[in-house]
């Protein structure tokens, strides 16, 4: 992905935060927190995952999952794609949903709720 394309995608995500998550107008608000309830198959285990997305007015700047910062992430429209350990994760901020995959061995999907 070229840098300019990435900046445009980050700008689109920043707009999405403002429009879809209805952030307060306060300049102090720099993060969105969500709790995601993901069902992992084939075990049918339910895990509650805490997601924090930090942003500036122009771009998404940091992603933390369960308090652990991820090192890289990609923004594609309203999707935030990243990985943590062996889990590939997609968070859709517009649909408020979670999808992940443990290298084909287990998968999860669930809903998210904004907590702040």
């Amino acid at each position: 992905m070229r840098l300019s394309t990435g900046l445009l995608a980050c700008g689109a995500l920043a707009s999405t935060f403002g429009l879809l998550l209805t952030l307060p107008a306060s300049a102090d608000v720099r993060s969105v927190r969500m709790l995601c309830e993901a069902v992992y198959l084939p075990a049918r285990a339910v895990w509650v995952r805490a997601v924090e997305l930090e942003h500036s007015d122009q771009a998404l700047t940091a992603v933390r999952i369960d308090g652990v910062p991820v090192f890289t992430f990609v923004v594609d429209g309203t999707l935030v794609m990243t990985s943590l350990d062996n889990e590939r994760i997609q968070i859709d901020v517009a649909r408020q949903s979670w999808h992940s995959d443990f290298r084909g061995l287990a998968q999860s999907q669930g809903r998210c709720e904004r907590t702040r």
Side-chain angles (χ1 to χ4, degrees):
M1 170 172 37
R2 291 189 334 237
L3 181 60
S4 62
T5 304
L7 291 175
L8 290 173
C10 288
L13 184 65
S15 297
T16 300
F17 282 128
L19 296 173
L20 297 174
L21 298 178
T22 59
L23 291 174
S26 170
D28 295 349
V29 176
R30 294 300 234 204
S31 67
V32 173
R33 292 184 182 154
M34 301 188 313
L35 285 179
C36 300
E37 194 172 78
V39 178
Y40 285 81
L41 298 174
R44 296 184 186 168
V46 177
W47 292 2
V48 176
R49 307 298 301 264
V51 175
E52 186 171 358
L53 305 169
E54 289 187 6
H55 60 92
S56 68
D57 292 337
Q58 300 296 319
L60 184 63
T61 57
V63 177
R64 280 188 289 288
I65 298 175
D66 298 333
V68 178
V70 300
F71 292 105
T72 61
F73 56 87
V74 175
V75 176
D76 183 13
T78 61
L79 281 178
V80 177
M81 295 173 279
T82 189
S83 63
L84 186 62
D85 297 328
N86 286 324
E87 185 176 15
R88 293 174 291 198
I89 301 166
Q90 291 184 356
I91 302 160
D92 189 327
V93 295
R95 293 186 178 172
Q96 295 189 10
S97 64
W98 168 286
H99 296 277
S100 70
D101 181 83
F102 279 103
R103 299 186 187 252
L105 299 175
Q107 298 176 351
S108 75
Q109 66 180 46
R111 62 181 181 81
C112 300
E113 285 186 19
R114 182 173 168 243
T115 60
R116 183 185 95 161

Coordinates of all heavy atoms in Angstrom, one line a residue, residues 6-66:
G6 N -2.7 4.9 2.3 CA -2.9 4.7 3.7 C -3.4 5.9 4.4 O -4.2 5.8 5.3
L7 N -2.9 7.1 4.1 CA -3.4 8.3 4.7 C -4.8 8.5 4.4 O -5.6 9.0 5.2 CB -2.5 9.5 4.3 CG -1.1 9.5 4.9 CD1 -0.3 10.6 4.3 CD2 -1.1 9.5 6.4
L8 N -5.2 8.3 3.1 CA -6.6 8.5 2.8 C -7.5 7.5 3.5 O -8.6 7.9 4.0 CB -6.8 8.3 1.3 CG -6.2 9.3 0.4 CD1 -6.3 8.9 -1.1 CD2 -6.9 10.7 0.6
A9 N -7.1 6.3 3.7 CA -7.8 5.3 4.4 C -7.9 5.7 5.9 O -9.0 5.5 6.5 CB -7.2 3.9 4.3
C10 N -6.8 6.2 6.5 CA -6.9 6.6 7.9 C -7.8 7.8 8.0 O -8.5 7.9 9.0 CB -5.5 7.0 8.3 SG -4.4 5.5 8.6
G11 N -7.8 8.7 7.0 CA -8.7 9.8 7.1 C -10.2 9.4 7.0 O -11.0 9.9 7.7
A12 N -10.4 8.4 6.2 CA -11.8 7.8 6.1 C -12.2 7.2 7.4 O -13.3 7.4 7.9 CB -11.9 6.8 5.0
L13 N -11.3 6.5 8.1 CA -11.6 5.9 9.4 C -11.8 7.0 10.4 O -12.7 6.9 11.2 CB -10.5 5.0 9.8 CG -10.8 4.2 11.1 CD1 -12.0 3.3 10.9 CD2 -9.6 3.5 11.6
A14 N -11.0 8.1 10.4 CA -11.2 9.2 11.3 C -12.6 9.8 11.1 O -13.3 10.1 12.1 CB -10.1 10.2 11.2
S15 N -13.0 9.9 9.9 CA -14.4 10.4 9.6 C -15.4 9.4 10.1 O -16.4 9.8 10.7 CB -14.6 10.6 8.1 OG -13.7 11.6 7.6
T16 N -15.2 8.2 10.0 CA -16.1 7.1 10.4 C -16.2 7.2 11.9 O -17.3 7.1 12.5 CB -15.6 5.7 10.0 OG1 -15.5 5.7 8.6 CG2 -16.5 4.7 10.5
F17 N -15.1 7.4 12.7 CA -15.2 7.6 14.1 C -16.2 8.7 14.5 O -17.0 8.6 15.3 CB -13.9 7.9 14.7 CG -13.0 6.7 14.9 CD1 -11.7 6.7 14.4 CD2 -13.5 5.5 15.5 CE1 -10.9 5.6 14.5 CE2 -12.7 4.4 15.6 CZ -11.4 4.4 15.2
G18 N -16.0 9.8 13.8 CA -16.9 11.0 14.1 C -18.3 10.8 13.7 O -19.2 11.2 14.5
L19 N -18.6 10.1 12.6 CA -20.0 10.0 12.2 C -20.7 8.8 12.8 O -21.8 8.9 13.2 CB -20.0 9.9 10.6 CG -19.5 11.1 9.9 CD1 -19.4 10.8 8.4 CD2 -20.4 12.3 10.1
L20 N -20.0 7.6 12.7 CA -20.7 6.4 13.1 C -20.6 6.1 14.6 O -21.5 5.5 15.2 CB -20.1 5.2 12.4 CG -20.3 5.3 10.9 CD1 -19.5 4.2 10.2 CD2 -21.8 5.2 10.5
L21 N -19.6 6.6 15.3 CA -19.5 6.3 16.7 C -19.9 7.5 17.5 O -19.9 7.5 18.7 CB -18.1 5.9 17.1 CG -17.6 4.6 16.4 CD1 -16.1 4.3 16.8 CD2 -18.5 3.4 16.8
T22 N -20.3 8.6 16.9 CA -20.7 9.8 17.5 C -19.9 10.2 18.7 O -20.4 10.3 19.8 CB -22.2 9.8 17.9 OG1 -22.4 8.7 18.8 CG2 -23.1 9.6 16.6
L23 N -18.6 10.5 18.5 CA -17.8 10.9 19.5 C -18.2 12.3 20.0 O -18.6 13.2 19.2 CB -16.3 11.0 19.0 CG -15.6 9.7 18.7 CD1 -14.3 10.0 18.1 CD2 -15.5 8.9 20.0
P24 N -18.0 12.6 21.3 CA -18.3 14.0 21.8 C -17.4 15.0 21.1 O -16.3 14.6 20.6 CB -18.0 13.9 23.3 CG -18.1 12.4 23.6 CD -17.7 11.7 22.3
A25 N -17.8 16.2 21.1 CA -17.0 17.3 20.4 C -15.8 17.7 21.2 O -15.0 18.4 20.7 CB -17.9 18.5 20.1
S26 N -15.6 17.2 22.4 CA -14.5 17.6 23.2 C -13.1 17.2 22.5 O -13.0 16.1 22.0 CB -14.6 16.9 24.5 OG -13.4 17.0 25.3
A27 N -12.2 18.1 22.6 CA -10.8 17.8 22.0 C -10.1 16.8 22.9 O -9.1 16.2 22.4 CB -10.0 19.1 21.9
D28 N -10.5 16.5 24.1 CA -9.8 15.6 25.0 C -10.1 14.1 24.5 O -9.3 13.3 24.9 CB -10.3 15.7 26.4 CG -9.9 17.1 27.0 OD1 -9.1 17.8 26.4 OD2 -10.4 17.4 28.1
V29 N -11.2 13.9 23.8 CA -11.5 12.5 23.4 C -10.5 12.1 22.3 O -10.5 12.7 21.2 CB -12.9 12.4 23.0 CG1 -13.2 11.0 22.5 CG2 -13.9 12.7 24.1
R30 N -9.6 11.1 22.6 CA -8.7 10.7 21.7 C -8.7 9.2 21.5 O -7.9 8.6 20.8 CB -7.3 11.1 22.1 CG -7.0 12.6 22.2 CD -7.2 13.1 20.8 NE -6.1 13.9 20.4 CZ -6.2 14.8 19.4 NH1 -7.3 15.1 18.9 NH2 -5.1 15.4 19.0
S31 N -9.7 8.5 22.1 CA -9.7 7.1 21.9 C -11.2 6.6 22.0 O -12.0 7.2 22.5 CB -8.9 6.4 23.0 OG -9.5 6.5 24.3
V32 N -11.4 5.4 21.3 CA -12.6 4.8 21.4 C -12.4 3.4 22.0 O -11.5 2.7 21.6 CB -13.2 4.6 19.9 CG1 -14.5 3.7 19.9 CG2 -13.5 6.0 19.3
R33 N -13.2 3.1 23.0 CA -13.1 1.8 23.6 C -14.3 0.9 23.3 O -15.4 1.4 23.4 CB -12.9 1.9 25.1 CG -11.6 2.5 25.4 CD -11.4 2.6 26.9 NE -10.1 3.2 27.2 CZ -9.8 3.8 28.3 NH1 -10.7 3.9 29.3 NH2 -8.6 4.4 28.5
M34 N -14.1 -0.3 23.0 CA -15.2 -1.2 22.7 C -14.9 -2.6 23.4 O -13.8 -3.0 23.6 CB -15.3 -1.5 21.2 CG -15.5 -0.3 20.4 SD -15.8 -0.5 18.6 CE -14.6 -1.7 18.1
L35 N -16.0 -3.2 23.8 CA -15.9 -4.6 24.3 C -16.6 -5.4 23.2 O -17.7 -5.2 22.8 CB -16.7 -4.7 25.6 CG -16.0 -4.2 26.9 CD1 -16.9 -4.4 28.1 CD2 -14.7 -4.8 27.1
C36 N -15.8 -6.5 22.8 CA -16.3 -7.4 21.8 C -16.5 -8.7 22.4 O -15.6 -9.3 23.1 CB -15.3 -7.4 20.7 SG -15.0 -5.9 19.9
E37 N -17.7 -9.3 22.2 CA -18.0 -10.6 22.7 C -17.9 -11.6 21.5 O -18.7 -11.7 20.6 CB -19.4 -10.6 23.2 CG -19.8 -11.8 24.0 CD -21.2 -11.6 24.7 OE1 -22.2 -11.8 24.0 OE2 -21.2 -11.2 25.9
A38 N -16.8 -12.3 21.5 CA -16.4 -13.2 20.3 C -16.7 -14.6 20.7 O -16.3 -15.1 21.8 CB -15.0 -13.0 19.9
V39 N -17.3 -15.4 19.8 CA -17.5 -16.8 20.0 C -16.5 -17.5 19.1 O -16.4 -17.3 17.9 CB -18.9 -17.2 19.5 CG1 -19.1 -18.7 19.7 CG2 -20.0 -16.5 20.3
Y40 N -15.6 -18.3 19.8 CA -14.6 -19.1 19.1 C -15.0 -20.5 18.8 O -15.5 -21.2 19.7 CB -13.3 -19.1 20.0 CG -12.6 -17.8 20.0 CD1 -13.0 -16.7 20.8 CD2 -11.5 -17.5 19.2 CE1 -12.4 -15.5 20.8 CE2 -10.9 -16.3 19.2 CZ -11.3 -15.3 20.0 OH -10.7 -14.1 20.0
L41 N -14.9 -20.9 17.6 CA -15.3 -22.2 17.1 C -14.0 -22.9 16.8 O -13.0 -22.3 16.3 CB -16.2 -22.1 15.9 CG -17.5 -21.4 16.2 CD1 -18.3 -21.3 14.9 CD2 -18.3 -22.2 17.2
P42 N -13.9 -24.2 16.9 CA -14.9 -25.2 17.2 C -15.3 -25.4 18.7 O -16.2 -26.1 19.0 CB -14.4 -26.5 16.6 CG -12.9 -26.4 16.8 CD -12.6 -24.9 16.6
A43 N -14.6 -24.7 19.6 CA -14.8 -25.0 21.0 C -16.1 -24.3 21.6 O -16.6 -24.7 22.6 CB -13.6 -24.4 21.9
R44 N -16.6 -23.4 20.8 CA -17.8 -22.6 21.2 C -17.6 -21.8 22.5 O -18.5 -21.6 23.3 CB -19.1 -23.5 21.4 CG -19.5 -24.2 20.1 CD -20.7 -25.0 20.3 NE -21.0 -25.7 19.0 CZ -21.9 -26.6 18.9 NH1 -22.6 -27.0 20.0 NH2 -22.1 -27.2 17.8
A45 N -16.4 -21.4 22.7 CA -16.0 -20.6 23.9 C -16.3 -19.1 23.6 O -16.0 -18.6 22.5 CB -14.6 -20.8 24.2
V46 N -16.8 -18.4 24.6 CA -17.1 -17.0 24.4 C -16.0 -16.2 25.2 O -15.8 -16.5 26.4 CB -18.5 -16.6 25.0 CG1 -18.7 -15.1 24.9 CG2 -19.6 -17.4 24.2
W47 N -15.3 -15.3 24.5 CA -14.3 -14.5 25.1 C -14.7 -13.0 24.9 O -15.2 -12.6 23.9 CB -13.0 -14.6 24.4 CG -12.3 -16.0 24.6 CD1 -12.7 -17.1 25.3 CD2 -11.0 -16.3 24.1 NE1 -11.8 -18.1 25.2 CE2 -10.7 -17.6 24.4 CE3 -10.1 -15.6 23.3 CZ2 -9.6 -18.3 24.1 CZ3 -8.9 -16.3 23.0 CH2 -8.7 -17.6 23.4
V48 N -14.6 -12.3 26.0 CA -14.8 -10.8 25.9 C -13.5 -10.2 25.7 O -12.5 -10.3 26.4 CB -15.5 -10.3 27.2 CG1 -15.6 -8.8 27.1 CG2 -16.8 -10.9 27.4
R49 N -13.4 -9.5 24.5 CA -12.1 -8.8 24.1 C -12.3 -7.3 24.2 O -13.3 -6.7 23.7 CB -11.8 -9.2 22.7 CG -11.8 -10.7 22.4 CD -10.8 -11.5 23.2 NE -9.4 -11.1 23.0 CZ -8.6 -11.6 22.1 NH1 -8.9 -12.7 21.3 NH2 -7.3 -11.2 22.0
A50 N -11.3 -6.7 24.9 CA -11.3 -5.2 25.0 C -10.5 -4.6 23.9 O -9.3 -5.0 23.7 CB -10.8 -4.8 26.4
V51 N -11.1 -3.7 23.2 CA -10.4 -3.0 22.1 C -10.3 -1.5 22.3 O -11.3 -0.9 22.7 CB -11.1 -3.3 20.7 CG1 -10.5 -2.5 19.6 CG2 -11.2 -4.7 20.4
E52 N -9.1 -0.9 22.2 CA -9.0 0.5 22.3 C -8.3 1.0 21.0 O -7.3 0.5 20.6 CB -8.2 0.9 23.5 CG -8.1 2.4 23.7 CD -7.5 2.8 25.0 OE1 -7.1 1.9 25.8 OE2 -7.4 4.0 25.2
L53 N -9.0 2.0 20.4 CA -8.5 2.6 19.1 C -8.2 4.1 19.4 O -9.1 4.8 19.7 CB -9.5 2.5 18.0 CG -10.1 1.1 17.7 CD1 -11.3 1.2 16.8 CD2 -9.0 0.2 17.1
E54 N -6.9 4.4 19.4 CA -6.5 5.8 19.6 C -6.4 6.5 18.2 O -6.0 5.9 17.2 CB -5.2 5.9 20.3 CG -5.2 5.5 21.7 CD -3.9 5.8 22.4 OE1 -3.0 6.3 21.8 OE2 -3.9 5.3 23.6
H55 N -6.8 7.8 18.2 CA -6.8 8.5 16.9 C -6.6 10.0 17.1 O -6.8 10.5 18.2 CB -8.2 8.3 16.2 CG -9.3 8.8 17.0 ND1 -9.8 10.1 16.9 CD2 -10.1 8.2 18.0 CE1 -10.8 10.3 17.7 NE2 -11.0 9.2 18.4
S56 N -6.1 10.5 16.0 CA -6.0 12.0 16.0 C -7.1 12.5 15.0 O -7.9 11.6 14.6 CB -4.6 12.4 15.4 OG -4.5 12.0 14.1
D57 N -7.1 13.7 14.7 CA -8.1 14.2 13.8 C -7.9 13.6 12.4 O -8.8 13.6 11.6 CB -8.1 15.7 13.7 CG -8.6 16.3 15.0 OD1 -9.3 15.7 15.7 OD2 -8.2 17.5 15.3
Q58 N -6.7 13.2 12.1 CA -6.3 12.7 10.7 C -6.2 11.2 10.6 O -6.4 10.7 9.5 CB -5.0 13.4 10.3 CG -5.0 14.9 10.3 CD -6.0 15.4 9.3 OE1 -6.1 14.9 8.2 NE2 -6.8 16.4 9.6
A59 N -5.9 10.5 11.6 CA -5.5 9.1 11.4 C -5.7 8.3 12.7 O -5.6 8.8 13.8 CB -4.1 9.0 10.9
L60 N -5.8 7.0 12.5 CA -5.8 6.0 13.6 C -4.3 5.9 14.0 O -3.4 5.7 13.1 CB -6.3 4.7 13.1 CG -6.4 3.6 14.2 CD1 -7.4 4.0 15.3 CD2 -6.9 2.3 13.6
T61 N -4.0 6.1 15.3 CA -2.6 6.1 15.7 C -2.1 4.9 16.5 O -0.9 4.6 16.5 CB -2.3 7.4 16.5 OG1 -3.1 7.4 17.6 CG2 -2.5 8.6 15.6
A62 N -3.0 4.2 17.2 CA -2.7 3.0 18.0 C -3.9 2.1 18.2 O -5.0 2.6 18.2 CB -2.1 3.5 19.3
V63 N -3.6 0.9 18.3 CA -4.6 -0.2 18.6 C -4.1 -1.0 19.7 O -3.0 -1.4 19.7 CB -4.9 -1.0 17.3 CG1 -5.9 -2.1 17.6 CG2 -5.3 -0.2 16.1
R64 N -5.0 -1.2 20.7 CA -4.7 -2.1 21.8 C -5.8 -3.1 21.9 O -7.0 -2.8 21.8 CB -4.5 -1.4 23.1 CG -3.2 -0.7 23.3 CD -3.0 -0.1 24.6 NE -3.8 1.1 24.9 CZ -3.5 2.3 24.4 NH1 -2.6 2.4 23.5 NH2 -4.3 3.3 24.7
I65 N -5.4 -4.4 22.1 CA -6.4 -5.5 22.3 C -6.1 -6.1 23.6 O -5.0 -6.6 23.9 CB -6.4 -6.5 21.1 CG1 -6.8 -5.7 19.9 CG2 -7.3 -7.6 21.4 CD1 -6.7 -6.5 18.6
D66 N -7.1 -6.1 24.5 CA -6.9 -6.6 25.9 C -5.8 -6.0 26.6 O -5.0 -6.6 27.3 CB -6.8 -8.2 25.9 CG -8.0 -8.9 25.3 OD1 -9.1 -8.3 25.4 OD2 -7.8 -10.0 24.8

